[in-house]
Amino acid sequence: MSKIVQYLQTPTFRKNLIAAFIAIICLFLAIYVGLKIYTKHDESIAVPKVKGLHINAALQALENAGLEYQIDSVYQMDAKPGLVIEQDPEQGFHVKSGRTIYLTIITQVAPEVAFPNIKDKTLIEATAILKNHNLKIGDTSYVADIARDIVLDAQFAGQSIRNGRMIPKGSRIDLVLGNGLGANEVEIPNLIGLPLNEAKFALSGAGLGLGTVTYDPNVTDTTTAVISAQSPGIEKGLTSLGAKIDVTLSLTAPAPTATGTPGTTGMSKPQTNPSQTNLPVKSTVPAKPTTTGSPAKSTNPPGATQKKENKSNSLGF
């Protein structure tokens, strides 16, 4: 123990101790200065605003500021391709030169999506399905079909598209819908002369409907009124299944023409025609004898008169 105390009191120990302190101080100074140089202490660069710029302009601004960059891309419909929508760090944030700035841009090539099954769906259902698949509805056209607003065909770029085909997101899909009138045509019945209830029955049997009903000003009792005009008329011939027929009710119906007769079967109600009264009519009343001297024709069989005369002579008359 005494030897250690004696060594600590020697000039050699004091020199070694001082040299050690000096070495430690120099080491800390070297580390401090080196870190300042390496980290570029008190040197910072304000991040320029590149959000909202096209990617080419954004990269040029970052290079001029001595900053690095890393790019990620996303897809958005109705957005300009190549547009910077996000940057990290934000504008005005102070960073060291060479700092990496992370950018998010709109991709210039839209990703593809499988076309969904929308055939035989209603227009509302098809719209929702297309929207969920990032697709848009283009033009809509209607064709004759019994189903109304039902998707009969879907077209992309002017051609029918099958289910599962890969197409770019945001593509416009044209739809072909049914108009609800049907592709079949039926013959227009003649309603002239029919009361309204019979006309409704005739139209229902033909697959048609009753449209606008117009009353003549002279009509006071609708139960006795008959149809005097219809639109379209029977001269049109055929109309689409489910079409509406407009009618006009009057007190009397116009005289029938050769083009048609009332009713769906072409049969008309018998009407009295004055011109038919001069037709010959058989009578059961015996004709009275005339005074012109001309003998009236007898209805007795031949020879009956002669037998009667012979009987009279035999009795002496």
Side-chain angles (χ1 to χ4, degrees):
M1 189 68 182
S2 59
K3 292 182 178 180
I4 296 175
V5 175
Q6 291 178 359
Y7 176 74
L8 294 177
Q9 294 177 354
T10 60
T12 303
F13 172 74
R14 289 192 294 267
K15 290 179 182 179
N16 292 336
L17 182 60
I18 294 173
F21 275 111
I22 293 174
I24 293 174
I25 292 174
C26 290
L27 178 62
F28 275 105
L29 289 176
I31 294 174
Y32 177 75
V33 173
L35 288 176
K36 289 188 66 175
I37 295 174
Y38 178 78
T39 59
K40 298 178 182 180
H41 186 65
D42 294 335
E43 295 181 9
S44 63
I45 301 173
V47 178
K49 180 181 179 181
V50 295
K51 183 178 180 179
L53 301 179
H54 191 271
I55 183 61
N56 295 332
L59 296 183
Q60 186 64 40
L62 293 177
E63 290 177 357
N64 294 338
L67 299 173
E68 301 293 334
Y69 51 84
Q70 185 172 338
I71 301 173
D72 191 11
S73 61
V74 296
Y75 175 76
Q76 289 184 1
M77 290 194 305
D78 302 326
K80 182 180 179 181
L83 186 70
V84 178
I85 59 174
E86 293 292 342
Q87 72 173 83
D88 184 28
E90 297 288 341
Q91 171 193 2
F93 194 85
H94 289 270
V95 297
K96 305 297 182 180
S97 61
R99 169 74 179 272
T100 300
I101 307 300
Y102 298 93
L103 305 178
T104 303
I105 67 172
I106 302 297
T107 180
Q108 298 185 8
V109 179
E112 293 186 336
V113 61
F115 184 73
N117 182 16
I118 60 174
K119 290 186 179 180
D120 298 329
K121 305 288 186 182
T122 64
L123 179 59
I124 298 177
E125 293 175 335
T127 302
I129 294 174
L130 292 177
K131 184 178 180 180
N132 291 336
H133 286 75
N134 293 323
L135 299 173
K136 297 180 179 180
I137 292 183
D139 297 331
T140 56
S141 58
Y142 288 86
V143 297
D145 191 84
I146 194 76
R148 181 173 179 81
D149 288 336
I150 298 298
V151 178
L152 303 179
D153 189 21
Q155 298 179 351
F156 173 66
Q159 296 181 351
S160 297
I161 181 172
R162 69 179 184 276
N163 300 334
R165 176 183 171 182
M166 302 301 294
I167 58 175
K169 288 185 178 181
S171 300
R172 293 185 176 272
I173 306 299
D174 299 332
L175 301 180
V176 179
L177 308 173
N179 59 7
L181 299 181
N184 297 327
E185 291 185 333
V186 295
E187 184 177 358
I188 301 176
N190 188 5
L191 306 178
I192 305 301
L194 296 179
L196 186 59
N197 58 344
E198 294 185 14
K200 290 181 179 179
F201 182 78
L203 290 174
S204 177
L208 302 174
L210 181 64
T212 303
V213 179
T214 305
Y215 292 90
D216 189 271
N218 298 325
V219 175
T220 57
D221 187 3
T222 58
T223 59
T224 59
V226 294
I227 295 177
S228 59
Q230 68 179 81
S231 178
I234 60 174
E235 63 277 0
K236 184 179 178 181
L238 301 177
T239 187
S240 298
L241 184 67
K244 303 290 185 180
I245 305 296
D246 301 332
V247 297
T248 301
L249 290 176
S250 302
L251 293 177
T252 58
T257 61
T259 57
T261 54
T264 57
T265 59
M267 300 299 294
S268 62
K269 293 183 177 181
Q271 297 182 359
T272 303
N273 192 339
S275 61
Q276 297 177 355
T277 57
N278 56 1
L279 295 177
V281 180
K282 293 184 180 180
S283 175
T284 58
V285 180
K288 295 181 180 181
T290 60
T291 57
T292 56
S294 300
K297 294 183 178 180
S298 175
T299 57
N300 294 329
T305 303
Q306 185 176 1
K307 290 181 180 179
K308 187 176 181 179
E309 290 177 353
N310 294 335
K311 184 178 182 181
S312 299
N313 293 333
S314 63
L315 294 175
F317 291 102

